[in-house]
Coordinates of all heavy atoms in Angstrom, one line a residue:
M1 N 97.7 -27.5 -8.6 CA 96.3 -27.1 -8.6 C 96.1 -25.6 -8.6 O 95.4 -25.0 -9.3 CB 95.6 -27.8 -7.5 CG 94.2 -27.6 -7.5 SD 93.4 -28.7 -8.6 CE 91.7 -28.3 -8.3
V2 N 96.9 -24.9 -7.7 CA 96.7 -23.5 -7.5 C 97.3 -22.8 -8.7 O 96.7 -21.8 -9.1 CB 97.5 -23.1 -6.2 CG1 97.5 -21.6 -6.0 CG2 96.9 -23.7 -5.0
D3 N 98.4 -23.3 -9.2 CA 99.0 -22.6 -10.4 C 98.1 -22.7 -11.6 O 98.0 -21.8 -12.4 CB 100.3 -23.3 -10.7 CG 101.5 -23.1 -9.7 OD1 101.3 -22.0 -9.0 OD2 102.3 -24.0 -9.5
E4 N 97.3 -23.7 -11.7 CA 96.4 -23.9 -12.9 C 95.3 -22.8 -12.8 O 94.9 -22.1 -13.8 CB 95.8 -25.3 -12.9 CG 96.7 -26.4 -13.3 CD 96.1 -27.7 -13.2 OE1 94.9 -27.8 -13.0 OE2 96.9 -28.7 -13.2
K5 N 94.8 -22.6 -11.6 CA 93.8 -21.6 -11.4 C 94.3 -20.2 -11.7 O 93.6 -19.4 -12.3 CB 93.2 -21.6 -10.0 CG 92.4 -22.8 -9.7 CD 91.8 -22.7 -8.3 CE 91.0 -24.0 -8.0 NZ 90.5 -24.0 -6.6
K6 N 95.5 -19.9 -11.3 CA 96.0 -18.6 -11.5 C 96.3 -18.4 -13.1 O 96.0 -17.3 -13.6 CB 97.4 -18.4 -10.8 CG 97.3 -18.2 -9.4 CD 98.7 -18.0 -8.7 CE 98.5 -17.7 -7.2 NZ 99.8 -17.5 -6.6
N7 N 96.8 -19.4 -13.8 CA 96.9 -19.2 -15.2 C 95.6 -19.0 -16.0 O 95.5 -18.2 -16.9 CB 97.6 -20.5 -15.8 CG 99.1 -20.5 -15.4 OD1 99.6 -19.6 -15.0 ND2 99.6 -21.8 -15.3
N8 N 94.6 -19.7 -15.6 CA 93.2 -19.6 -16.1 C 92.7 -18.1 -15.9 O 92.1 -17.5 -16.8 CB 92.3 -20.6 -15.7 CG 92.6 -22.0 -16.2 OD1 93.3 -22.2 -17.1 ND2 92.1 -23.0 -15.5
K9 N 92.9 -17.7 -14.7 CA 92.4 -16.4 -14.4 C 93.1 -15.3 -15.1 O 92.5 -14.3 -15.6 CB 92.6 -16.2 -12.8 CG 91.7 -15.0 -12.3 CD 91.8 -15.1 -10.8 CE 90.8 -14.0 -10.3 NZ 90.8 -14.1 -8.8
S10 N 94.4 -15.4 -15.2 CA 95.1 -14.3 -15.9 C 94.9 -14.3 -17.5 O 94.8 -13.3 -18.1 CB 96.6 -14.5 -15.7 OG 97.1 -15.7 -16.3
S11 N 94.6 -15.5 -18.0 CA 94.3 -15.5 -19.4 C 93.0 -14.9 -19.8 O 92.8 -14.4 -20.8 CB 94.5 -17.0 -20.0 OG 93.4 -17.7 -19.4
S12 N 92.1 -15.2 -18.8 CA 90.7 -14.6 -19.0 C 90.7 -13.1 -18.9 O 89.9 -12.4 -19.5 CB 89.7 -15.2 -18.1 OG 90.0 -14.9 -16.8
N13 N 91.6 -12.5 -18.1 CA 91.7 -11.0 -18.0 C 92.3 -10.4 -19.2 O 91.9 -9.2 -19.5 CB 92.6 -10.7 -16.7 CG 91.9 -11.0 -15.4 OD1 90.7 -11.1 -15.4 ND2 92.7 -11.2 -14.4
T14 N 93.1 -11.0 -20.0 CA 93.7 -10.5 -21.1 C 92.7 -10.4 -22.3 O 92.8 -9.6 -23.2 CB 94.9 -11.2 -21.6 OG1 94.5 -12.6 -21.8 CG2 96.0 -11.2 -20.5
I15 N 91.6 -11.3 -22.3 CA 90.7 -11.3 -23.4 C 89.6 -10.2 -23.1 O 89.0 -10.2 -22.0 CB 90.0 -12.7 -23.5 CG1 91.0 -13.8 -23.7 CG2 88.9 -12.6 -24.5 CD1 90.5 -15.1 -23.7
R16 N 89.4 -9.3 -24.1 CA 88.5 -8.2 -23.9 C 87.1 -8.6 -24.5 O 87.1 -9.4 -25.5 CB 88.9 -7.0 -24.7 CG 90.1 -6.3 -24.0 CD 90.5 -5.1 -24.7 NE 89.8 -3.9 -24.2 CZ 90.0 -2.7 -24.6 NH1 90.9 -2.5 -25.6 NH2 89.4 -1.7 -24.1
N17 N 86.1 -8.1 -24.0 CA 84.8 -8.4 -24.6 C 84.7 -7.6 -25.9 O 85.2 -6.6 -26.2 CB 83.7 -7.8 -23.7 CG 83.6 -8.6 -22.4 OD1 84.0 -9.8 -22.4 ND2 83.1 -8.1 -21.4
I18 N 83.9 -8.2 -26.8 CA 83.6 -7.6 -28.1 C 82.7 -6.4 -27.8 O 81.7 -6.5 -27.2 CB 83.0 -8.5 -29.1 CG1 84.0 -9.7 -29.4 CG2 82.6 -7.8 -30.4 CD1 83.3 -10.8 -30.2
R19 N 83.1 -5.2 -28.3 CA 82.4 -4.0 -28.1 C 81.5 -3.6 -29.2 O 82.0 -3.8 -30.4 CB 83.3 -2.8 -27.6 CG 84.1 -3.1 -26.3 CD 85.0 -2.1 -26.0 NE 85.7 -2.5 -24.7 CZ 86.3 -1.6 -24.0 NH1 86.4 -0.3 -24.4 NH2 86.8 -2.0 -22.9
K20 N 80.4 -3.0 -29.0 CA 79.5 -2.5 -30.0 C 80.1 -1.3 -30.8 O 80.7 -0.5 -30.2 CB 78.1 -2.2 -29.5 CG 77.5 -3.3 -28.8 CD 76.2 -2.8 -28.2 CE 75.6 -3.9 -27.4 NZ 74.5 -3.5 -26.6
Q21 N 79.9 -1.4 -32.1 CA 80.3 -0.2 -32.9 C 79.2 0.2 -33.8 O 78.4 -0.5 -34.2 CB 81.5 -0.6 -33.8 CG 82.8 -0.8 -33.0 CD 84.1 -0.9 -33.9 OE1 83.9 -1.0 -35.1 NE2 85.2 -0.7 -33.3
R22 N 79.2 1.5 -34.0 CA 78.0 2.2 -34.8 C 78.7 3.1 -35.8 O 79.8 3.7 -35.5 CB 77.1 2.9 -33.8 CG 76.5 1.9 -32.8 CD 75.3 1.2 -33.3 NE 74.6 0.5 -32.3 CZ 74.7 -0.8 -32.0 NH1 75.6 -1.5 -32.7 NH2 74.0 -1.4 -31.0
I23 N 77.9 3.4 -36.8 CA 78.3 4.5 -37.7 C 77.2 5.5 -37.8 O 76.0 5.0 -37.9 CB 78.6 3.9 -39.1 CG1 79.8 3.0 -39.1 CG2 78.8 5.0 -40.2 CD1 80.2 2.3 -40.3
G24 N 77.5 6.8 -37.7 CA 76.4 7.8 -37.7 C 76.9 9.1 -38.2 O 78.0 9.2 -38.5
I25 N 76.0 10.1 -38.0 CA 76.4 11.5 -38.5 C 76.3 12.4 -37.3 O 75.4 12.3 -36.5 CB 75.3 11.9 -39.6 CG1 75.5 11.0 -40.8 CG2 75.6 13.3 -39.9 CD1 74.5 11.3 -41.9
V26 N 77.3 13.3 -37.2 CA 77.3 14.3 -36.1 C 76.2 15.2 -36.3 O 76.2 15.9 -37.3 CB 78.7 14.9 -36.0 CG1 78.7 15.9 -34.8 CG2 79.8 13.9 -35.8
T27 N 75.4 15.4 -35.3 CA 74.2 16.4 -35.3 C 74.5 17.6 -34.4 O 73.9 18.7 -34.7 CB 73.0 15.7 -34.9 OG1 73.0 15.1 -33.6 CG2 72.6 14.7 -35.9
S28 N 75.4 17.5 -33.4 CA 75.7 18.6 -32.6 C 77.2 18.4 -32.0 O 77.5 17.4 -31.6 CB 74.8 18.7 -31.4 OG 75.1 19.7 -30.5
D29 N 77.9 19.5 -32.1 CA 79.3 19.6 -31.5 C 79.4 20.8 -30.6 O 80.5 21.3 -30.4 CB 80.3 19.6 -32.6 CG 80.2 20.8 -33.5 OD1 79.2 21.5 -33.5 OD2 81.2 21.1 -34.2
K30 N 78.3 21.3 -30.0 CA 78.3 22.5 -29.2 C 79.1 22.3 -27.8 O 79.6 23.2 -27.3 CB 76.9 23.0 -29.0 CG 76.4 23.5 -30.3 CD 74.9 24.0 -30.0 CE 74.4 24.4 -31.3 NZ 73.0 24.9 -31.2
M31 N 79.0 21.0 -27.3 CA 79.6 20.8 -26.0 C 81.1 20.6 -26.0 O 81.6 20.2 -27.1 CB 78.9 19.6 -25.3 CG 77.5 19.7 -25.0 SD 76.7 18.3 -24.5 CE 76.3 17.6 -26.0
D32 N 81.8 20.8 -24.9 CA 83.2 20.6 -24.9 C 83.5 19.0 -24.7 O 83.0 18.4 -23.8 CB 83.9 21.3 -23.7 CG 85.4 21.2 -23.8 OD1 85.9 21.2 -24.8 OD2 85.9 21.2 -22.6
K33 N 84.3 18.4 -25.6 CA 84.7 17.0 -25.6 C 83.6 16.1 -25.7 O 83.6 14.9 -25.4 CB 85.5 16.7 -24.3 CG 86.8 17.4 -24.3 CD 87.6 16.9 -23.1 CE 88.9 17.7 -23.0 NZ 89.8 17.2 -22.0
T34 N 82.4 16.5 -26.2 CA 81.2 15.7 -26.4 C 80.5 16.1 -27.7 O 80.4 17.3 -28.0 CB 80.2 15.9 -25.3 OG1 80.9 15.6 -24.0 CG2 79.0 14.9 -25.3
I35 N 80.1 15.1 -28.5 CA 79.3 15.3 -29.7 C 78.0 14.4 -29.5 O 78.0 13.4 -28.8 CB 80.1 15.0 -30.9 CG1 80.6 13.5 -30.9 CG2 81.2 16.0 -31.1 CD1 81.3 13.1 -32.2
I36 N 77.1 14.8 -30.4 CA 75.9 14.0 -30.4 C 75.8 13.4 -31.8 O 75.9 14.1 -32.8 CB 74.6 14.7 -30.1 CG1 74.6 15.2 -28.7 CG2 73.3 13.9 -30.5 CD1 73.4 16.1 -28.3
V37 N 75.8 12.0 -31.9 CA 75.8 11.3 -33.1 C 74.4 10.7 -33.3 O 73.9 10.0 -32.4 CB 76.9 10.3 -33.1 CG1 76.9 9.4 -34.4 CG2 78.2 10.9 -33.0
S38 N 73.8 10.8 -34.5 CA 72.5 10.1 -34.7 C 72.7 9.1 -35.8 O 73.4 9.2 -36.8 CB 71.5 11.0 -35.1 OG 71.9 11.9 -36.2
E39 N 72.2 7.9 -35.4 CA 72.2 6.6 -36.2 C 70.9 6.4 -36.9 O 69.9 6.5 -36.2 CB 72.7 5.4 -35.5 CG 72.7 4.2 -36.2 CD 72.8 3.0 -35.3 OE1 72.3 3.0 -34.2 OE2 73.2 2.0 -35.7
I40 N 70.9 6.3 -38.2 CA 69.6 6.1 -38.9 C 69.6 4.7 -39.4 O 70.5 4.3 -40.2 CB 69.3 7.1 -40.0 CG1 69.4 8.5 -39.4 CG2 68.1 6.9 -40.7 CD1 69.4 9.7 -40.4
K41 N 68.5 3.9 -39.1 CA 68.4 2.6 -39.5 C 67.1 2.5 -40.4 O 66.1 3.2 -40.1 CB 68.1 1.5 -38.4 CG 69.4 1.3 -37.6 CD 69.0 0.1 -36.6 CE 69.8 0.2 -35.4 NZ 69.4 -0.8 -34.4
K42 N 67.1 1.6 -41.4 CA 66.0 1.5 -42.2 C 65.5 0.0 -41.9 O 66.1 -1.0 -42.0 CB 66.3 1.5 -43.7 CG 65.2 1.7 -44.6 CD 65.6 1.9 -46.0 CE 64.5 2.4 -46.8 NZ 64.9 2.7 -48.2
V43 N 64.2 -0.1 -41.3 CA 63.7 -1.3 -40.7 C 62.3 -1.5 -41.3 O 61.6 -0.6 -41.7 CB 63.5 -1.2 -39.1 CG1 62.9 -2.4 -38.6 CG2 64.8 -0.8 -38.4
K44 N 62.1 -2.8 -41.6 CA 60.8 -3.2 -42.2 C 59.7 -3.5 -41.1 O 60.0 -4.1 -40.0 CB 61.0 -4.5 -43.0 CG 60.1 -4.6 -44.2 CD 60.6 -5.7 -45.1 CE 60.0 -5.5 -46.4 NZ 60.3 -6.5 -47.4
H45 N 58.6 -2.9 -41.3 CA 57.5 -3.0 -40.3 C 57.0 -4.5 -40.3 O 57.0 -5.1 -41.3 CB 56.3 -2.1 -40.7 CG 55.2 -2.0 -39.6 ND1 54.3 -3.0 -39.4 CD2 55.0 -1.1 -38.7 CE1 53.6 -2.6 -38.3 NE2 54.0 -1.5 -37.9
K46 N 56.9 -5.1 -39.0 CA 56.5 -6.5 -38.9 C 55.3 -6.9 -39.6 O 55.2 -7.9 -40.3 CB 56.5 -6.9 -37.5 CG 57.8 -6.9 -36.7 CD 57.5 -7.2 -35.3 CE 58.8 -7.2 -34.5 NZ 58.6 -7.6 -33.1
Y47 N 54.2 -6.1 -39.5 CA 52.9 -6.6 -40.0 C 52.7 -6.0 -41.5 O 52.4 -6.7 -42.4 CB 51.8 -6.0 -39.1 CG 50.5 -6.5 -39.6 CD1 50.1 -7.7 -39.5 CD2 49.6 -5.5 -40.2 CE1 48.8 -8.2 -39.9 CE2 48.3 -5.9 -40.6 CZ 47.9 -7.2 -40.5 OH 46.7 -7.6 -40.9
Y48 N 53.0 -4.7 -41.6 CA 52.7 -4.1 -43.0 C 53.8 -4.2 -44.0 O 53.5 -4.2 -45.2 CB 52.4 -2.6 -42.8 CG 51.1 -2.4 -41.9 CD1 51.2 -1.9 -40.6 CD2 49.8 -2.7 -42.5 CE1 50.1 -1.7 -39.9 CE2 48.7 -2.5 -41.7 CZ 48.8 -2.0 -40.4 OH 47.7 -1.9 -39.7
G49 N 55.0 -4.5 -43.5 CA 56.1 -4.7 -44.5 C 56.7 -3.4 -45.1 O 57.6 -3.4 -45.9
K50 N 56.1 -2.3 -44.7 CA 56.6 -0.9 -45.2 C 57.9 -0.6 -44.4 O 58.2 -0.9 -43.2 CB 55.6 0.1 -44.8 CG 55.9 1.5 -45.3 CD 54.9 2.5 -45.0 CE 55.3 3.9 -45.5 NZ 54.3 4.8 -45.2
S51 N 58.9 0.1 -45.2 CA 60.2 0.5 -44.7 C 59.9 1.7 -43.8 O 59.3 2.6 -44.2 CB 61.1 0.7 -45.7 OG 61.4 -0.4 -46.4
I52 N 60.6 1.6 -42.6 CA 60.5 2.7 -41.6 C 61.9 3.2 -41.2 O 62.7 2.4 -41.1 CB 59.7 2.3 -40.3 CG1 58.3 1.8 -40.6 CG2 59.7 3.5 -39.3 CD1 57.7 1.1 -39.5
L53 N 62.1 4.5 -41.1 CA 63.4 5.1 -40.7 C 63.3 5.2 -39.2 O 62.5 5.9 -38.7 CB 63.7 6.4 -41.4 CG 64.0 6.3 -42.9 CD1 64.2 7.7 -43.4 CD2 65.2 5.5 -43.2
K54 N 64.3 4.6 -38.5 CA 64.4 4.7 -37.1 C 65.7 5.5 -36.7 O 66.7 5.3 -37.3 CB 64.4 3.4 -36.3 CG 63.1 2.7 -36.4 CD 63.1 1.6 -35.4 CE 61.7 1.1 -35.2 NZ 61.5 0.1 -34.1
K55 N 65.6 6.5 -35.8 CA 66.8 7.3 -35.6 C 67.0 7.2 -34.1 O 66.1 7.1 -33.3 CB 66.3 8.8 -35.8 CG 67.5 9.8 -35.7 CD 66.9 11.2 -35.8 CE 67.8 12.0 -36.7 NZ 67.2 13.4 -36.9
K56 N 68.3 7.0 -33.7 CA 68.8 6.9 -32.3 C 69.9 7.9 -32.2 O 70.9 7.9 -33.0 CB 69.2 5.5 -32.0 CG 69.6 5.4 -30.6 CD 69.3 4.0 -30.0 CE 69.8 4.1 -28.6 NZ 69.4 3.1 -27.8
K57 N 70.0 8.6 -31.0 CA 71.0 9.5 -30.8 C 71.9 9.0 -29.6 O 71.5 8.4 -28.7 CB 70.5 10.9 -30.3 CG 69.7 11.6 -31.3 CD 69.3 13.0 -30.8 CE 68.7 13.8 -31.8 NZ 68.2 15.1 -31.3
Y58 N 73.3 9.2 -29.9 CA 74.2 8.8 -28.8 C 75.1 9.9 -28.5 O 75.4 10.8 -29.3 CB 75.2 7.7 -29.5 CG 74.5 6.5 -29.9 CD1 74.2 6.3 -31.3 CD2 74.2 5.5 -29.0 CE1 73.6 5.1 -31.7 CE2 73.6 4.3 -29.4 CZ 73.3 4.2 -30.8 OH 72.6 3.0 -31.2
M59 N 75.3 10.0 -27.2 CA 76.3 11.1 -26.6 C 77.7 10.4 -26.7 O 77.9 9.4 -26.1 CB 76.0 11.6 -25.2 CG 74.7 12.4 -25.2 SD 74.4 13.2 -23.7 CE 75.5 14.6 -23.8
V60 N 78.6 11.0 -27.5 CA 79.9 10.4 -27.7 C 81.1 11.3 -27.2 O 81.1 12.5 -27.4 CB 80.1 10.3 -29.3 CG1 81.4 9.6 -29.6 CG2 78.9 9.5 -29.8
H61 N 82.1 10.7 -26.6 CA 83.3 11.4 -26.0 C 84.2 11.6 -27.2 O 84.7 10.8 -27.9 CB 83.9 10.6 -25.0 CG 85.0 11.2 -24.3 ND1 85.0 12.3 -23.6 CD2 86.4 10.9 -24.4 CE1 86.1 12.7 -23.1 NE2 87.0 12.0 -23.6
D62 N 84.5 12.9 -27.5 CA 85.4 13.4 -28.5 C 86.6 14.1 -27.8 O 86.5 15.3 -27.6 CB 84.7 14.2 -29.5 CG 85.6 14.7 -30.7 OD1 86.7 14.2 -30.8 OD2 85.1 15.5 -31.5
E63 N 87.6 13.5 -27.4 CA 88.7 14.0 -26.7 C 89.3 15.3 -27.2 O 89.6 16.2 -26.5 CB 89.8 13.0 -26.4 CG 90.9 13.4 -25.5 CD 90.5 13.6 -24.0 OE1 89.6 12.9 -23.5 OE2 91.0 14.6 -23.4
K64 N 89.5 15.3 -28.5 CA 90.3 16.4 -29.0 C 89.4 17.4 -29.8 O 89.9 18.3 -30.5 CB 91.4 15.8 -30.1 CG 92.4 15.0 -29.4 CD 93.3 14.3 -30.3 CE 94.3 13.4 -29.6 NZ 95.1 12.6 -30.5
N65 N 88.1 17.3 -29.8 CA 87.2 18.1 -30.5 C 87.5 18.2 -31.9 O 87.5 19.3 -32.5 CB 87.1 19.5 -29.8 CG 86.5 19.5 -28.5 OD1 85.5 18.7 -28.2 ND2 87.0 20.3 -27.5
V66 N 87.7 17.1 -32.7 CA 88.0 17.2 -34.0 C 86.8 17.0 -35.0 O 86.9 17.5 -36.1 CB 89.0 16.0 -34.4 CG1 90.3 16.3 -33.7 CG2 88.5 14.7 -34.0
S67 N 85.7 16.5 -34.6 CA 84.6 16.3 -35.4 C 83.7 17.5 -35.4 O 83.6 18.2 -34.4 CB 83.8 15.1 -35.1 OG 83.4 15.1 -33.8
K68 N 83.1 17.7 -36.6 CA 82.1 18.9 -36.7 C 80.8 18.4 -37.2 O 80.6 17.2 -37.5 CB 82.7 19.9 -37.7 CG 84.1 20.4 -37.4 CD 84.0 21.3 -36.1 CE 85.4 21.7 -35.7 NZ 85.5 22.1 -34.3
N69 N 79.8 19.3 -37.2 CA 78.5 18.9 -37.7 C 78.5 18.3 -39.1 O 79.1 18.9 -40.0 CB 77.6 20.1 -37.7 CG 77.0 20.4 -36.3 OD1 77.2 19.7 -35.4 ND2 76.4 21.6 -36.1
G70 N 77.7 17.3 -39.4 CA 77.7 16.7 -40.7 C 78.7 15.7 -40.9 O 78.6 15.0 -42.0
D71 N 79.7 15.4 -40.1 CA 80.7 14.5 -40.3 C 80.1 13.1 -40.1 O 79.4 12.9 -39.3 CB 81.9 14.6 -39.4 CG 82.7 15.8 -39.7 OD1 82.5 16.5 -40.7 OD2 83.6 16.1 -38.9
K72 N 80.6 12.1 -41.0 CA 80.2 10.7 -40.8 C 81.3 10.0 -39.9 O 82.4 10.1 -40.4 CB 80.1 10.0 -42.1 CG 79.5 8.6 -42.1 CD 79.2 8.1 -43.5 CE 78.6 6.7 -43.4 NZ 78.4 6.2 -44.7
V73 N 80.9 9.5 -38.8 CA 81.9 9.0 -37.8 C 81.6 7.6 -37.4 O 80.5 7.0 -37.6 CB 82.0 9.9 -36.6 CG1 82.4 11.2 -36.9 CG2 80.6 9.9 -35.9
S74 N 82.6 6.9 -36.9 CA 82.5 5.6 -36.3 C 82.7 5.7 -34.8 O 83.7 6.4 -34.3 CB 83.6 4.7 -36.9 OG 83.6 3.4 -36.3
I75 N 81.8 5.1 -34.1 CA 81.9 5.2 -32.6 C 81.9 3.8 -32.0 O 81.5 2.8 -32.6 CB 80.7 6.0 -32.0 CG1 79.3 5.4 -32.3 CG2 80.8 7.4 -32.5 CD1 78.1 6.0 -31.7
M76 N 82.5 3.7 -30.7 CA 82.6 2.4 -30.0 C 82.1 2.5 -28.6 O 82.3 3.6 -27.9 CB 84.1 2.0 -30.0 CG 84.3 0.7 -29.3 SD 86.1 0.3 -29.0 CE 86.5 -0.1 -30.7
E77 N 81.5 1.5 -28.1 CA 81.0 1.5 -26.8 C 82.1 1.4 -25.8 O 83.1 0.7 -26.0 CB 80.1 0.2 -26.6 CG 79.3 0.2 -25.3 CD 78.4 -1.0 -25.2 OE1 78.8 -2.1 -25.7 OE2 77.3 -0.8 -24.7
I78 N 82.0 2.2 -24.7 CA 83.0 2.1 -23.6 C 82.3 2.1 -22.2 O 81.1 2.2 -22.2 CB 84.0 3.3 -23.7 CG1 83.3 4.6 -23.6 CG2 84.9 3.3 -24.8 CD1 84.0 5.8 -23.4
R79 N 83.1 2.2 -21.1 CA 82.5 2.3 -19.8 C 81.8 3.6 -19.7 O 82.2 4.6 -20.4 CB 83.6 2.1 -18.7 CG 84.6 3.3 -18.7 CD 85.6 3.1 -17.6 NE 86.6 4.2 -17.7 CZ 86.4 5.4 -17.2 NH1 85.3 5.7 -16.5 NH2 87.4 6.3 -17.2
P80 N 80.8 3.8 -18.8 CA 80.2 5.1 -18.7 C 81.1 6.2 -18.2 O 81.8 6.0 -17.1 CB 79.1 4.8 -17.6 CG 78.9 3.3 -17.6 CD 80.2 2.7 -18.0
L81 N 81.1 7.3 -18.9 CA 81.9 8.5 -18.5 C 81.0 9.5 -17.7 O 81.6 10.2 -17.0 CB 82.5 9.1 -19.7 CG 83.5 8.2 -20.5 CD1 83.9 8.9 -21.7 CD2 84.7 7.9 -19.6
S82 N 79.7 9.4 -18.0 CA 78.8 10.3 -17.3 C 77.4 9.6 -17.4 O 77.4 8.5 -17.7 CB 78.7 11.7 -17.9 OG 78.2 11.6 -19.2
K83 N 76.4 10.3 -17.0 CA 75.0 9.7 -16.9 C 74.6 9.1 -18.3 O 74.1 8.0 -18.4 CB 74.1 10.7 -16.4 CG 72.7 10.2 -16.2 CD 71.7 11.3 -15.8 CE 70.3 10.8 -15.7 NZ 69.4 11.8 -15.2
K84 N 74.8 9.9 -19.4 CA 74.4 9.5 -20.6 C 75.5 9.1 -21.6 O 75.2 8.6 -22.7 CB 73.5 10.6 -21.3 CG 72.3 10.9 -20.5 CD 71.5 11.9 -21.3 CE 70.2 12.3 -20.5 NZ 69.5 13.3 -21.2
K85 N 76.7 9.5 -21.3 CA 77.8 9.3 -22.2 C 78.6 7.9 -22.0 O 79.3 7.8 -21.0 CB 78.8 10.4 -22.1 CG 79.8 10.5 -23.2 CD 80.5 11.8 -23.4 CE 81.2 12.4 -22.2 NZ 82.1 13.5 -22.5
C86 N 78.4 6.9 -22.9 CA 79.1 5.8 -22.8 C 79.6 5.2 -24.1 O 79.7 4.0 -24.4 CB 78.3 4.6 -22.1 SG 76.8 4.4 -22.9
W87 N 80.0 6.2 -25.1 CA 80.5 5.9 -26.3 C 81.7 6.8 -26.6 O 81.8 7.9 -26.0 CB 79.4 6.1 -27.5 CG 78.3 5.2 -27.3 CD1 77.2 5.3 -26.6 CD2 78.1 4.0 -28.1 NE1 76.3 4.3 -26.8 CE2 76.9 3.4 -27.7 CE3 78.8 3.4 -29.1 CZ2 76.3 2.3 -28.2 CZ3 78.3 2.1 -29.6 CH2 77.2 1.6 -29.1
R88 N 82.6 6.4 -27.4 CA 83.7 7.2 -27.8 C 84.0 7.2 -29.3 O 83.6 6.3 -30.0 CB 85.0 6.8 -27.1 CG 85.7 5.5 -27.7 CD 87.1 5.3 -27.0 NE 87.6 4.0 -27.4 CZ 88.3 3.8 -28.4 NH1 88.6 4.8 -29.2 NH2 88.8 2.6 -28.7
L89 N 84.6 8.3 -29.8 CA 84.9 8.5 -31.2 C 86.0 7.6 -31.6 O 87.1 7.7 -31.0 CB 85.2 10.0 -31.5 CG 85.5 10.3 -32.9 CD1 84.2 10.2 -33.7 CD2 86.0 11.7 -33.0
V90 N 85.9 6.8 -32.6 CA 86.9 5.9 -33.1 C 87.6 6.6 -34.3 O 88.9 6.8 -34.3 CB 86.4 4.6 -33.6 CG1 87.5 3.7 -34.1 CG2 85.8 3.8 -32.5
S91 N 86.9 7.0 -35.3 CA 87.5 7.7 -36.4 C 86.4 8.5 -37.2 O 85.2 8.3 -37.0 CB 88.1 6.7 -37.4 OG 87.0 5.8 -37.9
I92 N 86.9 9.4 -38.0 CA 86.0 10.2 -38.9 C 86.1 9.6 -40.3 O 87.1 9.5 -40.9 CB 86.5 11.6 -39.0 CG1 86.4 12.3 -37.5 CG2 85.6 12.4 -39.9 CD1 86.9 13.6 -37.4
L93 N 85.0 9.1 -40.8 CA 84.9 8.4 -42.0 C 84.8 9.4 -43.2 O 85.5 9.2 -44.2 CB 83.7 7.4 -42.1 CG 83.7 6.4 -40.9 CD1 82.5 5.5 -41.0 CD2 85.0 5.5 -41.1
E94 N 84.0 10.4 -43.0 CA 83.8 11.5 -44.1 C 83.7 12.8 -43.4 O 82.9 13.0 -42.5 CB 82.5 11.2 -45.0 CG 82.6 10.0 -45.8 CD 81.3 9.9 -46.6 OE1 80.6 10.9 -46.7 OE2 81.1 8.8 -47.1
K95 N 84.5 13.8 -44.0 CA 84.4 15.2 -43.5 C 83.2 15.9 -44.2 O 83.0 15.6 -45.5 CB 85.6 16.0 -43.7 CG 86.7 15.6 -42.7 CD 86.5 16.4 -41.5 CE 87.8 16.4 -40.6 NZ 87.6 17.1 -39.4
S96 N 82.5 16.7 -43.6 CA 81.4 17.5 -44.3 C 82.0 18.7 -45.0 O 82.9 19.2 -44.7 CB 80.4 17.8 -43.4 OG 80.8 18.7 -42.4

């Protein structure tokens, strides 16, 4: 009975949660090891049906300072590293 509980517990620890991923454009790289990425979505208005552009900014951890302004990047959600920074750079999709 005790062995079964241990096995179930250890197998659940190895499974990671699915993390959110986003694609956006670097708007600022002035900080050390941090970039600001803006994601632009095209959403339809509920009532009027008109397309609206929505913009959201993310503070992203860039360990090696490899990305520059205008780069198209892929980011992934991680544990909070600071008050506003809880995303990390996965890859650079297009260089500017």
